Amino acid sequence: MSLDDLLPFLSSRDGALEIFNLKRLPRVTLYFRAGRLHCIYLGNKPVDSLQARSVIGELIEARKGSFEFIPGARPAACSRPLGWPVDRMLISVTTTYDEYAQVADQLPHPETVFTLTHIAVPDDTRISDFWKRSYIYLQEGASAQKLSQKLGMPLDHCRFYLHKLRQLGAVAPARATAQQKKKPQRAGVAARLLSSLKKRFFGEENAWSR
Amino acid sequence: MTKQEQLQGILRELKQALPELRSIVVASTDGLPIVHDAADAPRVAAMAATALGLGKRISQTTDLGMLEETIVRGNQGYFVVYAAGEKGVLAVSAPADANLGLIHLEARSFAARLAQVL
Amino acid sequence: MEPLKVVVAGPVGAGKSTLIRTLSETAVVDTDALASEDIGKPTTTVAMDYGTIHLGDQLLYLFGTPGQDRFDFMWDVLSEGALGLLLLIRGDKPEDFVPARRLLDYLTSRQPVPYVLGVTRQDQPPVWGPEEVAPFFGVPLERVVGINAKNPQSAAKPLIRLVELIAAEEAAS
Protein backbone atom coordinates (compact mmCIF):
# COMPACT_ATOMS: atom_id res chain seq x y z
CA MET A 1 0.00 0.00 0.00
CA SER A 2 1.44 3.41 -0.77
CA LEU A 3 1.07 6.76 0.89
CA ASP A 4 -1.27 8.07 -1.80
CA ASP A 5 -3.75 5.34 -0.93
CA LEU A 6 -3.80 6.39 2.70
CA LEU A 7 -4.18 10.11 2.22
CA PRO A 8 -7.97 10.16 1.61
CA PHE A 9 -8.45 8.33 4.92
CA LEU A 10 -6.13 10.76 6.66
CA SER A 11 -7.77 13.90 5.36
CA SER A 12 -10.70 13.26 7.68
CA ARG A 13 -8.89 12.05 10.80
CA ASP A 14 -6.88 13.74 13.53
CA GLY A 15 -3.89 11.81 14.73
CA ALA A 16 -0.46 10.49 13.83
CA LEU A 17 0.60 8.18 11.04
CA GLU A 18 3.80 6.41 12.03
CA ILE A 19 5.84 4.90 9.22
CA PHE A 20 8.77 2.61 9.97
CA ASN A 21 10.90 -0.20 8.55
CA LEU A 22 11.84 2.11 5.69
CA LYS A 23 15.03 1.47 3.77
CA ARG A 24 16.17 5.04 3.39
CA LEU A 25 14.62 6.87 6.32
CA PRO A 26 14.37 6.46 10.08
CA ARG A 27 10.87 6.40 11.64
CA VAL A 28 8.63 9.08 10.16
CA THR A 29 5.59 10.45 11.99
CA LEU A 30 3.02 12.53 10.13
CA TYR A 31 0.63 14.52 12.33
CA PHE A 32 -2.75 15.31 10.81
CA ARG A 33 -5.30 17.76 12.08
CA ALA A 34 -8.48 19.08 10.48
CA GLY A 35 -7.63 17.85 7.01
CA ARG A 36 -4.11 19.28 7.05
CA LEU A 37 -0.66 17.89 7.53
CA HIS A 38 0.32 19.70 10.66
CA CYS A 39 3.82 18.50 11.35
CA ILE A 40 6.36 15.84 10.35
CA TYR A 41 8.81 14.21 12.74
CA LEU A 42 11.86 12.37 11.48
CA GLY A 43 12.96 10.14 14.34
CA ASN A 44 12.06 12.34 17.30
CA LYS A 45 12.77 15.72 15.72
CA PRO A 46 10.37 17.91 13.76
CA VAL A 47 11.50 18.85 10.24
CA ASP A 48 11.16 22.21 8.49
CA SER A 49 9.06 22.74 5.38
CA LEU A 50 11.95 22.15 3.01
CA GLN A 51 12.94 18.85 4.57
CA ALA A 52 9.25 17.97 4.85
CA ARG A 53 8.92 18.06 1.06
CA SER A 54 11.86 15.71 0.70
CA VAL A 55 10.50 13.33 3.29
CA ILE A 56 7.09 13.11 1.60
CA GLY A 57 8.81 12.54 -1.72
CA GLU A 58 10.92 9.74 -0.26
CA LEU A 59 7.83 8.17 1.32
CA ILE A 60 6.08 8.12 -2.02
CA GLU A 61 9.11 6.51 -3.64
CA ALA A 62 9.53 3.96 -0.85
CA ARG A 63 8.18 0.62 -1.86
CA LYS A 64 8.28 -1.16 1.48
CA GLY A 65 7.46 0.03 4.96
CA SER A 66 5.11 -0.55 7.85
CA PHE A 67 2.71 1.93 9.28
CA GLU A 68 0.44 2.49 12.20
CA PHE A 69 -2.20 5.12 12.82
CA ILE A 70 -2.64 6.53 16.30
CA PRO A 71 -5.90 8.46 16.54
CA GLY A 72 -5.77 11.73 18.44
CA ALA A 73 -1.97 11.77 18.78
CA ARG A 74 -0.34 15.21 18.79
CA PRO A 75 3.26 16.30 18.36
CA ALA A 76 5.32 17.28 21.40
CA ALA A 77 6.30 20.55 19.78
CA CYS A 78 5.62 22.16 16.46
CA SER A 79 7.09 25.63 16.23
CA ARG A 80 6.16 26.22 12.59
CA PRO A 81 3.15 24.16 11.54
CA LEU A 82 3.12 23.16 7.90
CA GLY A 83 -0.63 23.40 7.44
CA TRP A 84 -0.61 21.60 4.08
CA PRO A 85 -4.09 20.54 2.93
CA VAL A 86 -3.88 16.78 2.58
CA ASP A 87 -5.62 16.52 -0.77
CA ARG A 88 -3.35 19.07 -2.45
CA MET A 89 -0.13 17.79 -0.87
CA LEU A 90 0.19 14.84 -3.14
CA ILE A 91 -0.21 16.76 -6.37
CA SER A 92 2.52 19.26 -5.61
CA VAL A 93 5.00 16.62 -4.54
CA THR A 94 4.37 14.15 -7.35
CA THR A 95 4.68 16.88 -9.94
CA THR A 96 8.18 17.50 -8.67
CA TYR A 97 9.00 13.84 -8.97
CA ASP A 98 7.71 13.50 -12.54
CA GLU A 99 9.76 16.51 -13.50
CA TYR A 100 12.73 15.04 -11.73
CA ALA A 101 12.54 11.81 -13.71
CA GLN A 102 12.53 13.79 -16.96
CA VAL A 103 15.58 15.84 -16.17
CA ALA A 104 17.56 13.26 -14.20
CA ASP A 105 20.29 13.09 -16.84
CA GLN A 106 20.64 16.87 -17.11
CA LEU A 107 21.36 17.50 -13.46
CA PRO A 108 24.70 19.06 -12.58
CA HIS A 109 27.57 17.04 -11.18
CA PRO A 110 27.31 16.89 -7.36
CA GLU A 111 30.58 18.80 -7.01
CA THR A 112 30.02 21.59 -9.50
CA VAL A 113 30.09 24.87 -7.62
CA PHE A 114 27.30 27.42 -8.23
CA THR A 115 27.15 31.08 -7.27
CA LEU A 116 24.43 33.72 -7.30
CA THR A 117 23.73 35.88 -10.31
CA HIS A 118 21.93 39.19 -9.84
CA ILE A 119 18.58 37.68 -10.66
CA ALA A 120 16.12 37.08 -7.83
CA VAL A 121 13.80 34.11 -7.50
CA PRO A 122 10.06 34.67 -7.87
CA ASP A 123 7.90 33.51 -5.00
CA ASP A 124 7.05 30.04 -6.24
CA THR A 125 6.93 28.27 -2.86
CA ARG A 126 8.64 25.12 -3.99
CA ILE A 127 11.82 26.83 -5.12
CA SER A 128 11.85 29.83 -2.83
CA ASP A 129 12.10 27.67 0.31
CA PHE A 130 15.27 26.08 -1.01
CA TRP A 131 16.46 29.45 -2.28
CA LYS A 132 16.14 31.12 1.11
CA ARG A 133 17.87 28.33 2.96
CA SER A 134 20.74 27.93 0.50
CA TYR A 135 21.30 31.64 -0.13
CA ILE A 136 24.11 32.17 2.38
CA TYR A 137 26.04 29.20 1.04
CA LEU A 138 25.51 30.17 -2.60
CA GLN A 139 26.87 33.63 -1.87
CA GLU A 140 30.31 32.18 -1.36
CA GLY A 141 29.74 29.40 -3.91
CA ALA A 142 28.35 25.96 -3.11
CA SER A 143 27.92 22.60 -4.79
CA ALA A 144 24.96 20.24 -4.45
CA GLN A 145 27.21 18.12 -2.27
CA LYS A 146 27.85 20.98 0.14
CA LEU A 147 24.21 22.06 0.23
CA SER A 148 23.12 18.50 0.87
CA GLN A 149 25.35 18.42 3.96
CA LYS A 150 24.47 21.88 5.22
CA LEU A 151 20.71 21.61 4.68
CA GLY A 152 20.31 17.97 5.64
CA MET A 153 18.66 17.12 2.34
CA PRO A 154 19.25 14.25 -0.12
CA LEU A 155 21.93 15.00 -2.70
CA ASP A 156 19.70 14.44 -5.72
CA HIS A 157 17.09 16.88 -4.42
CA CYS A 158 19.78 19.56 -4.13
CA ARG A 159 20.97 18.82 -7.65
CA PHE A 160 17.40 19.14 -8.88
CA TYR A 161 16.81 22.48 -7.17
CA LEU A 162 20.12 23.87 -8.45
CA HIS A 163 19.07 22.80 -11.93
CA LYS A 164 15.76 24.68 -11.55
CA LEU A 165 17.50 27.74 -10.14
CA ARG A 166 19.87 27.72 -13.06
CA GLN A 167 16.95 27.56 -15.47
CA LEU A 168 15.50 30.62 -13.74
CA GLY A 169 18.85 32.36 -14.12
CA ALA A 170 19.27 32.81 -10.38
CA VAL A 171 22.48 30.79 -10.14
CA ALA A 172 25.32 29.99 -12.51
CA PRO A 173 28.33 27.70 -12.29
CA ALA A 174 31.30 29.49 -10.81
CA ARG A 175 34.10 29.95 -13.29
CA ALA A 176 37.03 29.77 -10.91
CA THR A 177 39.29 32.50 -12.21
CA ALA A 178 41.46 33.22 -9.20
CA GLN A 179 44.99 33.92 -10.34
CA GLN A 180 47.12 30.92 -9.58
CA LYS A 181 50.48 31.59 -8.06
CA LYS A 182 52.62 30.75 -11.04
CA LYS A 183 55.95 29.06 -10.51
CA PRO A 184 58.75 31.46 -11.57
CA GLN A 185 59.93 29.35 -14.49
CA ARG A 186 56.37 29.20 -15.88
CA ALA A 187 56.30 32.95 -16.52
CA GLY A 188 56.56 33.57 -20.24
CA VAL A 189 56.16 29.88 -21.02
CA ALA A 190 52.82 30.37 -22.68
CA ALA A 191 54.15 33.16 -24.88
CA ARG A 192 57.04 31.01 -26.09
CA LEU A 193 54.76 28.01 -26.57
CA LEU A 194 52.40 30.16 -28.60
CA SER A 195 54.99 31.20 -31.15
CA SER A 196 56.29 27.61 -31.45
CA LEU A 197 52.80 26.27 -32.08
CA LYS A 198 52.03 28.87 -34.71
CA LYS A 199 55.27 28.22 -36.52
CA ARG A 200 54.71 24.48 -36.43
CA PHE A 201 51.19 24.46 -37.78
CA PHE A 202 51.03 27.61 -39.85
CA GLY A 203 54.64 28.16 -40.82
CA GLU A 204 54.84 31.62 -39.32
CA GLU A 205 54.61 33.27 -35.94
CA ASN A 206 51.88 35.73 -36.73
CA ALA A 207 49.50 33.38 -38.44
CA TRP A 208 45.88 33.18 -37.41
CA SER A 209 45.47 35.62 -34.53
CA ARG A 210 42.06 36.61 -33.20
CA MET B 1 18.39 -20.10 -18.31
CA THR B 2 18.98 -16.56 -19.38
CA LYS B 3 22.46 -15.16 -19.67
CA GLN B 4 21.83 -13.05 -16.60
CA GLU B 5 20.77 -16.09 -14.58
CA GLN B 6 23.82 -18.05 -15.71
CA LEU B 7 26.10 -15.22 -14.69
CA GLN B 8 24.37 -14.89 -11.33
CA GLY B 9 24.89 -18.61 -10.81
CA ILE B 10 28.60 -18.38 -11.53
CA LEU B 11 28.84 -15.39 -9.18
CA ARG B 12 27.25 -17.40 -6.39
CA GLU B 13 29.69 -20.25 -6.94
CA LEU B 14 32.63 -17.86 -6.87
CA LYS B 15 31.38 -16.48 -3.56
CA GLN B 16 31.23 -20.00 -2.15
CA ALA B 17 34.66 -20.92 -3.48
CA LEU B 18 36.20 -17.75 -2.08
CA PRO B 19 34.16 -16.62 0.93
CA GLU B 20 36.87 -14.14 2.00
CA LEU B 21 36.13 -11.88 -0.99
CA ARG B 22 34.60 -8.57 0.10
CA SER B 23 33.04 -7.77 -3.23
CA ILE B 24 32.74 -9.11 -6.76
CA VAL B 25 31.85 -7.19 -9.91
CA VAL B 26 31.48 -8.56 -13.43
CA ALA B 27 31.50 -5.73 -15.97
CA SER B 28 31.79 -5.04 -19.69
CA THR B 29 35.19 -3.84 -20.89
CA ASP B 30 33.68 -0.38 -21.36
CA GLY B 31 32.81 -0.12 -17.69
CA LEU B 32 29.15 -1.10 -17.26
CA PRO B 33 28.21 -3.52 -14.44
CA ILE B 34 26.65 -6.82 -15.53
CA VAL B 35 26.27 -8.83 -12.32
CA HIS B 36 27.75 -7.98 -8.96
CA ASP B 37 27.84 -8.34 -5.23
CA ALA B 38 29.21 -4.94 -4.33
CA ALA B 39 27.98 -1.75 -2.71
CA ASP B 40 29.05 0.70 -5.38
CA ALA B 41 28.89 -1.45 -8.51
CA PRO B 42 28.63 1.28 -11.20
CA ARG B 43 31.65 3.12 -9.84
CA VAL B 44 33.67 -0.08 -9.34
CA ALA B 45 32.74 -1.38 -12.82
CA ALA B 46 34.05 1.78 -14.50
CA MET B 47 37.26 1.77 -12.48
CA ALA B 48 37.86 -1.91 -13.12
CA ALA B 49 37.45 -1.38 -16.87
CA THR B 50 39.90 1.52 -16.74
CA ALA B 51 42.40 -0.50 -14.73
CA LEU B 52 42.15 -3.47 -17.07
CA GLY B 53 42.36 -1.29 -20.18
CA LEU B 54 45.41 0.48 -18.83
CA GLY B 55 46.93 -2.79 -17.67
CA LYS B 56 46.53 -4.35 -21.12
CA ARG B 57 48.15 -1.34 -22.71
CA ILE B 58 51.08 -1.33 -20.27
CA SER B 59 51.53 -5.06 -20.77
CA GLN B 60 51.68 -4.61 -24.54
CA THR B 61 53.94 -1.58 -24.51
CA THR B 62 56.46 -2.98 -22.03
CA ASP B 63 56.49 -6.50 -23.49
CA LEU B 64 54.95 -8.40 -20.62
CA GLY B 65 53.06 -10.80 -22.86
CA MET B 66 49.35 -11.40 -22.24
CA LEU B 67 47.89 -9.56 -19.28
CA GLU B 68 47.05 -11.94 -16.44
CA GLU B 69 45.66 -9.50 -13.90
CA THR B 70 46.02 -5.98 -12.54
CA ILE B 71 46.39 -5.63 -8.77
CA VAL B 72 45.89 -2.61 -6.59
CA ARG B 73 47.26 -3.23 -3.13
CA GLY B 74 46.36 -1.02 -0.15
CA ASN B 75 47.46 -1.62 3.41
CA GLN B 76 43.93 -2.86 4.18
CA GLY B 77 43.25 -5.04 1.20
CA TYR B 78 43.55 -5.89 -2.47
CA PHE B 79 41.55 -5.08 -5.59
CA VAL B 80 42.30 -7.48 -8.44
CA VAL B 81 41.00 -7.21 -12.00
CA TYR B 82 41.00 -10.10 -14.49
CA ALA B 83 39.94 -10.15 -18.13
CA ALA B 84 36.89 -12.34 -18.68
CA GLY B 85 37.27 -12.99 -22.37
CA GLU B 86 37.41 -10.18 -24.88
CA LYS B 87 34.38 -8.32 -23.63
CA GLY B 88 34.35 -8.87 -19.89
CA VAL B 89 36.04 -7.84 -16.70
CA LEU B 90 36.03 -9.67 -13.36
CA ALA B 91 36.99 -7.53 -10.36
CA VAL B 92 37.27 -8.79 -6.79
CA SER B 93 38.32 -7.20 -3.56
CA ALA B 94 39.90 -9.15 -0.72
CA PRO B 95 41.26 -8.42 2.78
CA ALA B 96 44.97 -7.84 3.33
CA ASP B 97 45.58 -11.30 4.77
CA ALA B 98 43.96 -13.13 1.88
CA ASN B 99 45.84 -15.83 0.02
CA LEU B 100 46.42 -14.14 -3.33
CA GLY B 101 47.73 -17.28 -4.97
CA LEU B 102 44.52 -19.11 -4.18
CA ILE B 103 42.41 -16.18 -5.30
CA HIS B 104 44.22 -16.03 -8.64
CA LEU B 105 43.70 -19.74 -9.20
CA GLU B 106 39.98 -19.68 -8.50
CA ALA B 107 39.26 -16.27 -10.04
CA ARG B 108 40.98 -17.16 -13.31
CA SER B 109 38.96 -20.30 -13.75
CA PHE B 110 35.76 -18.40 -12.97
CA ALA B 111 36.80 -15.65 -15.37
CA ALA B 112 37.10 -18.26 -18.09
CA ARG B 113 33.60 -19.57 -17.31
CA LEU B 114 32.22 -16.03 -17.39
CA ALA B 115 33.88 -15.49 -20.75
CA GLN B 116 31.94 -18.46 -22.17
CA VAL B 117 28.65 -16.87 -21.24
CA LEU B 118 29.37 -13.22 -22.03
CA MET C 1 62.33 22.42 -20.10
CA GLU C 2 59.47 20.96 -18.10
CA PRO C 3 56.97 19.19 -20.36
CA LEU C 4 53.52 20.77 -20.54
CA LYS C 5 50.19 19.01 -20.57
CA VAL C 6 46.84 19.82 -22.11
CA VAL C 7 43.74 17.77 -21.33
CA VAL C 8 41.25 17.04 -24.11
CA ALA C 9 37.80 16.24 -22.70
CA GLY C 10 34.24 16.05 -23.99
CA PRO C 11 31.29 13.70 -24.51
CA VAL C 12 31.59 10.35 -26.30
CA GLY C 13 32.16 10.75 -30.02
CA ALA C 14 33.11 14.42 -29.84
CA GLY C 15 36.40 13.78 -31.63
CA LYS C 16 38.95 13.75 -28.79
CA SER C 17 40.87 10.69 -29.93
CA THR C 18 40.71 11.93 -33.53
CA LEU C 19 42.08 15.35 -32.60
CA ILE C 20 44.95 13.86 -30.65
CA ARG C 21 45.79 11.50 -33.49
CA THR C 22 45.79 14.44 -35.90
CA LEU C 23 48.07 16.62 -33.78
CA SER C 24 50.36 14.03 -32.25
CA GLU C 25 53.76 13.44 -33.76
CA THR C 26 54.22 10.11 -32.04
CA ALA C 27 51.85 7.19 -32.44
CA VAL C 28 48.97 7.78 -30.08
CA VAL C 29 48.80 5.47 -27.07
CA ASP C 30 45.18 4.63 -26.59
CA THR C 31 43.20 2.42 -24.21
CA ASP C 32 40.18 1.44 -26.25
CA ALA C 33 37.69 -1.27 -25.37
CA LEU C 34 34.74 -2.73 -27.22
CA ALA C 35 31.65 -0.62 -26.67
CA SER C 36 28.80 -2.64 -25.19
CA GLU C 37 26.35 0.22 -25.81
CA ASP C 38 25.43 1.84 -29.10
CA ILE C 39 27.61 4.92 -29.28
CA GLY C 40 27.93 5.06 -33.04
CA LYS C 41 31.33 3.39 -33.14
CA PRO C 42 32.77 0.01 -32.14
CA THR C 43 35.26 1.10 -29.49
CA THR C 44 35.58 3.68 -26.74
CA THR C 45 38.39 5.08 -24.58
CA VAL C 46 38.34 3.60 -21.07
CA ALA C 47 41.43 5.17 -19.52
CA MET C 48 43.01 7.79 -21.77
CA ASP C 49 44.58 8.71 -25.10
CA TYR C 50 48.06 10.12 -25.07
CA GLY C 51 49.92 12.01 -27.77
CA THR C 52 52.90 14.33 -27.95
CA ILE C 53 54.00 17.41 -29.87
CA HIS C 54 57.71 18.32 -29.93
CA LEU C 55 58.35 22.01 -30.28
CA GLY C 56 62.10 22.53 -30.21
CA ASP C 57 63.07 21.66 -26.67
CA GLN C 58 59.51 21.99 -25.37
CA LEU C 59 57.44 18.85 -25.10
CA LEU C 60 53.67 19.17 -25.10
CA TYR C 61 51.54 16.21 -23.98
CA LEU C 62 47.93 15.80 -25.01
CA PHE C 63 45.85 13.64 -22.70
CA GLY C 64 42.40 12.60 -23.90
CA THR C 65 39.84 11.52 -21.30
CA PRO C 66 37.05 8.95 -21.66
CA GLY C 67 33.71 10.60 -22.53
CA GLN C 68 31.13 8.81 -20.38
CA ASP C 69 30.16 10.20 -16.96
CA ARG C 70 31.00 6.94 -15.27
CA PHE C 71 34.69 7.65 -15.91
CA ASP C 72 34.58 11.00 -14.18
CA PHE C 73 37.27 9.88 -11.72
CA MET C 74 39.68 9.98 -14.70
CA TRP C 75 38.92 13.65 -15.43
CA ASP C 76 40.51 14.70 -12.15
CA VAL C 77 43.41 12.27 -12.48
CA LEU C 78 44.28 13.50 -15.96
CA SER C 79 43.69 17.20 -15.24
CA GLU C 80 46.27 17.26 -12.45
CA GLY C 81 48.91 19.87 -13.27
CA ALA C 82 47.50 20.59 -16.72
CA LEU C 83 48.30 23.85 -18.50
CA GLY C 84 44.71 24.01 -19.72
CA LEU C 85 41.65 22.20 -20.97
CA LEU C 86 40.28 21.68 -24.45
CA LEU C 87 36.61 20.69 -24.32
CA LEU C 88 35.37 19.23 -27.59
CA ILE C 89 31.74 19.00 -28.66
CA ARG C 90 30.25 17.69 -31.87
CA GLY C 91 28.67 20.59 -33.69
CA ASP C 92 26.10 18.31 -35.33
CA LYS C 93 24.83 16.78 -32.07
CA PRO C 94 23.12 19.46 -29.98
CA GLU C 95 21.72 16.76 -27.68
CA ASP C 96 25.28 16.34 -26.39
CA PHE C 97 25.54 20.00 -25.40
CA VAL C 98 23.91 19.40 -22.03
CA PRO C 99 26.30 16.66 -20.85
CA ALA C 100 29.20 18.67 -22.30
CA ARG C 101 28.12 21.72 -20.35
CA ARG C 102 27.80 19.69 -17.19
CA LEU C 103 31.38 18.50 -17.74
CA LEU C 104 32.68 22.03 -18.42
CA ASP C 105 30.95 23.32 -15.29
CA TYR C 106 32.39 20.52 -13.19
CA LEU C 107 35.94 20.97 -14.45
CA THR C 108 36.03 24.78 -14.29
CA SER C 109 33.99 25.62 -11.21
CA ARG C 110 36.19 24.05 -8.56
CA GLN C 111 39.72 24.99 -9.62
CA PRO C 112 40.86 27.75 -11.93
CA VAL C 113 41.71 26.08 -15.23
CA PRO C 114 42.12 27.88 -18.56
CA TYR C 115 39.80 26.36 -21.15
CA VAL C 116 38.70 26.59 -24.75
CA LEU C 117 35.75 24.87 -26.42
CA GLY C 118 36.29 23.21 -29.78
CA VAL C 119 33.16 22.64 -31.85
CA THR C 120 33.91 19.78 -34.23
CA ARG C 121 32.50 18.66 -37.59
CA GLN C 122 32.53 22.19 -39.00
CA ASP C 123 33.37 20.59 -42.34
CA GLN C 124 30.05 18.72 -42.35
CA PRO C 125 27.12 21.15 -42.43
CA PRO C 126 24.45 21.59 -41.20
CA VAL C 127 26.34 22.16 -38.01
CA TRP C 128 26.23 24.52 -35.00
CA GLY C 129 29.04 27.07 -35.01
CA PRO C 130 30.83 28.99 -32.25
CA GLU C 131 28.37 31.95 -32.26
CA GLU C 132 25.48 29.61 -31.47
CA VAL C 133 27.31 27.40 -29.02
CA ALA C 134 28.94 30.12 -26.86
CA PRO C 135 25.69 31.50 -25.33
CA PHE C 136 24.40 28.02 -24.52
CA PHE C 137 27.54 27.27 -22.54
CA GLY C 138 27.66 30.72 -20.99
CA VAL C 139 31.21 31.33 -22.18
CA PRO C 140 32.70 34.28 -24.08
CA LEU C 141 32.88 33.80 -27.85
CA GLU C 142 36.67 34.16 -27.82
CA ARG C 143 36.80 30.84 -25.98
CA VAL C 144 34.94 28.90 -28.67
CA VAL C 145 36.62 27.70 -31.87
CA GLY C 146 35.06 25.78 -34.73
CA ILE C 147 37.20 22.94 -36.08
CA ASN C 148 37.61 19.91 -38.27
CA ALA C 149 39.42 17.42 -36.01
CA LYS C 150 40.95 15.57 -38.97
CA ASN C 151 42.71 18.58 -40.45
CA PRO C 152 46.04 19.48 -38.76
CA GLN C 153 45.77 23.26 -39.07
CA SER C 154 42.12 23.25 -38.04
CA ALA C 155 42.79 20.89 -35.13
CA ALA C 156 45.63 23.10 -33.91
CA LYS C 157 43.42 26.20 -33.67
CA PRO C 158 41.76 25.53 -30.30
CA LEU C 159 45.14 24.63 -28.85
CA ILE C 160 46.65 27.85 -30.16
CA ARG C 161 43.67 29.86 -28.88
CA LEU C 162 44.06 28.25 -25.44
CA VAL C 163 47.72 29.16 -25.27
CA GLU C 164 46.99 32.68 -26.58
CA LEU C 165 44.53 33.27 -23.77
CA ILE C 166 46.94 31.93 -21.19
CA ALA C 167 49.74 34.10 -22.57
CA ALA C 168 47.48 37.17 -22.47
CA GLU C 169 46.66 36.48 -18.83
CA GLU C 170 50.35 35.97 -18.05
CA ALA C 171 51.19 39.30 -19.65
CA ALA C 172 48.41 41.07 -17.73
CA SER C 173 49.45 39.78 -14.29
Side-chain angles (χ1 to χ4, degrees):
Chain A
M1 203 194 232
S2 77
L3 188 62
D4 0 356
D5 297 325
L6 285 172
L7 289 180
F9 161 87
L10 295 165
S11 63
S12 58
R13 302 271 195 300
D14 287 358
L17 182 70
E18 283 202 357
I19 306 171
F20 44 96
N21 288 335
L22 291 163
K23 258 184 134 174
R24 285 165 30 153
L25 289 173
R27 172 178 292 250
V28 176
T29 311
L30 307 176
Y31 291 95
F32 294 89
R33 201 200 295 170
R36 288 173 184 266
L37 176 61
H38 184 61
C39 190
I40 299 183
Y41 269 59
L42 194 60
N44 48 20
K45 281 203 288 212
V47 300
D48 63 37
S49 63
L50 186 58
Q51 289 167 318
R53 252 178 257 280
S54 291
V55 169
I56 297 292
E58 295 276 350
L59 285 176
I60 292 170
E61 293 272 295
R63 262 168 266 162
K64 278 203 213 164
S66 318
F67 65 91
E68 197 190 326
F69 184 72
I70 306 151
R74 282 174 169 228
C78 201
S79 57
R80 259 175 287 181
L82 298 166
W84 293 349
V86 172
D87 47 7
R88 294 222 301 273
M89 188 174 91
L90 206 52
I91 298 171
S92 94
V93 175
T94 49
T95 318
T96 310
Y97 273 76
D98 285 337
E99 250 192 293
Y100 176 85
Q102 280 177 0
V103 300
D105 58 354
Q106 294 174 36
L107 301 184
H109 193 283
E111 292 174 49
T112 298
V113 176
F114 285 85
T115 53
L116 301 170
T117 60
H118 300 295
I119 297 174
V121 167
D123 259 326
D124 169 78
T125 328
R126 203 174 60 184
I127 299 289
S128 65
D129 264 355
F130 180 83
W131 171 251
K132 286 175 201 150
R133 294 277 308 281
S134 57
Y135 196 87
I136 41 161
Y137 305 110
L138 288 169
Q139 268 183 327
E140 53 186 34
S143 63
Q145 183 96 280
K146 180 168 176 184
L147 291 174
S148 168
Q149 278 166 5
K150 298 285 187 184
L151 301 176
M153 281 179 64
L155 176 65
D156 281 349
H157 295 200
C158 292
R159 291 171 73 204
F160 177 73
Y161 282 122
L162 281 175
H163 171 77
K164 299 298 296 177
L165 286 172
R166 193 217 192 125
Q167 283 185 327
L168 290 169
V171 300
R175 298 273 180 233
T177 51
Q179 291 292 345
Q180 270 175 310
K181 284 195 216 100
K182 296 218 157 53
K183 295 183 277 182
Q185 67 265 34
R186 284 275 264 244
V189 155
R192 285 196 295 276
L193 183 61
L194 183 61
S195 65
S196 303
L197 281 172
K198 283 185 172 178
K199 264 195 266 179
R200 167 63 51 85
F201 289 98
F202 291 92
E204 44 174 271
E205 271 185 66
N206 292 317
W208 191 69
S209 276
R210 56 190 165 114
Chain B
M1 249 206 282
T2 65
K3 215 159 110 156
Q4 198 68 7
E5 283 164 350
Q6 284 181 293
L7 294 169
Q8 292 278 11
I10 297 176
L11 189 72
R12 263 194 300 272
E13 287 185 47
L14 178 56
K15 271 186 84 172
Q16 284 174 341
L18 292 171
E20 65 267 39
L21 293 182
R22 287 195 193 131
S23 70
I24 306 171
V25 174
V26 178
S28 60
T29 47
D30 64 343
L32 294 168
I34 301 178
V35 290
H36 65 88
D37 180 27
D40 195 9
R43 170 61 90 217
V44 172
M47 288 186 164
T50 297
L52 189 76
L54 201 50
K56 278 186 190 163
R57 178 48 97 170
I58 292 173
S59 204
Q60 248 172 9
T61 306
T62 62
D63 290 323
L64 301 179
M66 272 252 302
L67 179 72
E68 303 261 329
E69 67 269 332
T70 292
I71 305 179
V72 176
R73 181 175 164 216
N75 62 9
Q76 291 176 12
Y78 295 96
F79 181 72
V80 192
V81 186
Y82 308 85
E86 285 263 307
K87 302 194 255 176
V89 176
L90 168 64
V92 302
S93 81
D97 58 358
N99 182 337
L100 261 195
L102 186 61
I103 291 178
H104 288 331
L105 217 56
E106 294 283 354
R108 281 192 208 130
S109 93
F110 276 93
R113 285 178 59 189
L114 289 165
Q116 300 275 343
V117 181
L118 285 169
Chain C
M1 260 204 253
E2 213 182 284
L4 298 170
K5 168 168 103 172
V6 168
V7 178
V8 182
V12 179
K16 305 178 289 295
S17 305
T18 305
L19 183 104
I20 294 176
R21 262 194 287 275
T22 301
L23 294 176
S24 179
E25 287 155 5
T26 49
V28 171
V29 175
D30 64 45
T31 48
D32 279 3
L34 292 169
S36 66
E37 315 167 280
D38 180 14
I39 52 172
K41 48 183 185 154
T43 59
T44 191
T45 306
V46 293
M48 62 190 191
D49 293 316
Y50 163 78
T52 56
I53 305 179
H54 294 252
L55 300 157
D57 52 358
Q58 178 67 64
L59 198 57
L60 183 65
Y61 293 138
L62 299 170
F63 278 86
T65 68
Q68 295 90 337
D69 278 3
R70 58 184 179 269
F71 295 110
D72 62 358
F73 56 90
M74 285 307 287
W75 305 338
D76 278 342
V77 169
L78 295 174
S79 302
E80 183 88 32
L83 180 70
L85 164 74
L86 229 61
L87 185 80
L88 296 187
I89 35 190
R90 265 180 70 163
D92 61 349
K93 261 192 120 190
E95 60 268 31
D96 281 351
F97 291 1
V98 169
R101 187 176 69 178
R102 188 171 61 231
L103 174 51
L104 178 71
D105 295 342
Y106 173 74
L107 290 171
T108 59
S109 73
R110 301 163 314 139
Q111 300 270 355
V113 48
Y115 67 91
V116 160
L117 264 56
V119 190
T120 60
R121 307 263 172 148
Q122 295 297 300
D123 55 313
Q124 295 172 44
V127 67
W128 289 52
E131 294 80 14
E132 289 131 347
V133 166
F136 178 83
F137 281 80
V139 305
L141 186 56
E142 64 181 11
R143 290 201 181 258
V144 189
V145 178
I147 62 176
N148 166 7
K150 295 193 183 144
N151 175 295
Q153 286 192 331
S154 188
K157 282 185 183 174
L159 186 58
I160 290 174
R161 175 60 53 82
L162 177 66
V163 179
E164 256 176 3
L165 292 168
I166 297 172
E169 228 174 81
E170 261 180 5
S173 63

